Amino acid sequence: MTEYKKAVTAIDELEAAAAKLAEDCSDENLAKADRVIDDYLNFKHKLEAQFPQFTKFRQKAAEKDPDKQTYGPKMLQNVQSLIERYDELYEIHEERMKPLLSHMAAEKQAMNEREKARLERALAENEEERRKQQRAETEKEEREREEALKRKKEAEEAARLLQEEAKKKQEDAAAAEDAARDAALLSAMERDTKSAEGARGAAVESLVRLAQGTKGEMRDALDALMELLSAIMGGPEEAHIRVLRLGSEKFRDRIGKFPGSVLLLRSIGFSLSSLEGVRDILTKVHGAAKVAELSEKELFLVLQEPSVARYDEWKA
């Protein structure tokens, strides 16, 4: 569509709008001022939008140089007629509509601006309230997480303390049991030594006690003792073989639990010793760190290496 045809269409619409506004501007219809003002503002906007195009029409229609003229005689007449229609509409706006409606339009625009500003403030307040609630919810969730974590840590700490307490009770009970067992063993060894008349008497009494058990127990005890003595005879220079820790599970299970077995070892020549008495021997074999883990209350049976100077006495 050419510029001219577009302009014709626009002028037709403006003339129709002007006629409608002329009717609406009666005193009766002014009661509907909002609708009239909206129509007026729309008319004004469209009229002003055509101003640049009609300025171009005027310039081309006013050209006197035949070489520069754009329009032929008939087109020039049509353009001039269209310009007159535009000017007439512009005059209606300036002389009739503007004095009557511009003040009302300005007030409505101001009211619209105020309403727009109010809505924007309301939206901003709502957004701020939403963010405030969101922050409050986030802070609440964070507090709940911290409280849950605190309760979890407290429960874990309480469970740990209970476990430590239970472990300590078990350790104390085991230590008391060990101490009682060692004391009973020591007492029994002292009684055995006192009741036996010399080494031969102790040996006989220990064998009698072993015989009082079942055949299986006696065989197990004698096997363990023979294995121990064979190891000592096979490596007499190995001092650690001749050191037995009374509190060790291995010793108790294989030898110490059988009646008379400890007395037999005493009759062979094993003597009771504290940790201090065998520290050097154990340190050479196991190292100082390992020996440091042992309790000072530990008791040992030790078979001292026979002295060559007392060979005849030991042989007898």
Side-chain angles (χ1 to χ4, degrees), residues 136-259:
E137 291 175 359
T138 301
E139 291 173 356
K140 180 182 177 182
E141 291 175 356
E142 184 64 25
R143 287 196 301 271
E144 290 176 350
R145 282 195 297 269
E146 291 178 354
E147 291 173 358
L149 181 61
K150 181 180 178 181
R151 289 194 297 270
K152 181 181 178 182
K153 289 183 177 179
E154 290 175 348
E156 290 176 349
E157 179 65 14
R160 186 186 66 80
L161 291 175
L162 288 175
Q163 289 178 350
E164 288 184 354
E165 184 178 356
K167 182 179 179 181
K168 188 175 185 304
K169 287 182 178 179
Q170 291 178 351
E171 291 175 349
D172 291 345
E177 184 180 351
D178 290 344
R181 188 183 296 112
D182 291 341
L185 179 60
L186 181 60
S187 176
M189 290 170 61
E190 290 176 349
R191 289 197 305 272
D192 290 343
T193 302
K194 291 177 181 179
S195 64
E197 297 179 359
R200 290 185 177 85
V204 171
E205 185 175 342
S206 65
L207 290 173
V208 171
R209 290 191 180 185
L210 283 172
Q212 290 174 351
T214 64
K215 292 182 178 180
E217 288 179 342
M218 183 176 183
R219 171 57 60 186
D220 291 340
L222 291 175
D223 287 346
L225 289 169
M226 289 301 297
E227 181 180 345
L228 171 63
L229 295 176
S230 296
I232 294 173
M233 293 174 65
E237 72 282 359
E238 300 293 338
H240 68 280
I241 300 178
R242 294 181 274 105
V243 177
L244 305 176
R245 185 163 66 92
L246 297 180
S248 70
E249 292 184 5
K250 182 177 180 181
F251 174 79
R252 289 171 180 168
D253 292 341
R254 299 199 62 197
I255 297 176
K257 70 179 182 180
F258 298 109

Side-chain angles (χ1 to χ4, degrees), residues 58-126:
R58 293 179 197 279
Q59 292 173 350
K60 292 179 179 181
E63 183 60 53
K64 301 300 183 181
D65 188 348
D67 295 334
K68 296 182 180 179
Q69 289 178 351
T70 305
Y71 308 131
K74 185 176 181 179
M75 186 61 184
L76 178 60
Q77 184 178 358
N78 292 337
V79 170
Q80 288 175 341
S81 175
L82 191 61
I83 291 173
E84 290 175 0
R85 291 171 64 188
Y86 177 82
D87 290 343
E88 184 177 353
L89 289 169
Y90 191 83
E91 182 179 349
I92 290 172
H93 171 263
E94 291 295 320
E95 294 182 2
R96 299 180 190 177
M97 297 180 185
K98 186 175 181 180
L100 180 63
L101 299 173
S102 61
H103 178 68
M104 296 173 64
E107 288 183 350
K108 182 174 182 181
Q109 285 182 326
M111 183 180 65
N112 289 342
E113 291 296 329
R114 289 194 295 272
E115 181 64 15
K116 180 181 178 182
R118 187 189 67 79
L119 290 175
E120 289 177 349
R121 287 195 302 272
L123 288 174
E125 290 173 357
N126 290 339

Side-chain angles (χ1 to χ4, degrees), residues 1-12 57 75 82:
M1 184 181 293
T2 64
E3 292 181 348
Y4 173 76
K5 289 183 178 181
K6 290 179 181 179
V8 170
T9 301
I11 292 300
D12 289 341
F57 285 153
M75 186 61 184
L82 191 61

Side-chain angles (χ1 to χ4, degrees), residues 17-32:
K20 187 174 184 303
L21 277 171
E23 180 181 352
D24 290 342
C25 285
S26 63
D27 292 339
E28 180 181 352
N29 289 328
L30 277 178
K32 305 173 183 177

